[in-house]
């Protein structure tokens, strides 16, 4: 699940977490997933550092 997006000079940086829903209660871990844990698509619609 997407937690937040940071816009940096190097481009967008996404923070993700793996949530679980048990009996209507969402459990959100304290630590987000590692940066390389989620494969992000590279497409023309994504911003690039040059577009600033």
């Amino acid at each position: 699940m997407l937690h937040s997006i940071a816009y940096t000079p190097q481009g967008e940086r996404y923070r993700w977490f793996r949530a679980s829903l048990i009996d209507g209660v969402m459990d959100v871990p304290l630590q987000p997933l590692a940066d390389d844990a989620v494969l992000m698509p590279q497409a023309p619609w994504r911003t690039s550092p040059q577009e600033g």
Side-chain angles (χ1 to χ4, degrees):
M1 184 172 255
L2 180 62
H3 176 270
S4 60
I5 303 172
Y7 298 96
T8 68
Q10 294 77 30
E12 299 170 352
R13 180 169 180 259
Y14 297 87
R15 294 185 64 190
W16 300 91
F17 65 94
R18 191 172 311 280
S20 59
L21 188 63
I22 301 172
D23 295 326
V25 177
M26 182 179 281
D27 178 54
V28 179
L30 295 175
Q31 297 296 321
L33 295 171
D35 288 340
D36 62 352
V38 178
L39 180 62
M40 293 296 298
Q42 298 297 316
W45 52 265
R46 293 179 45 84
T47 62
S48 67
Q50 293 80 24
E51 292 177 7

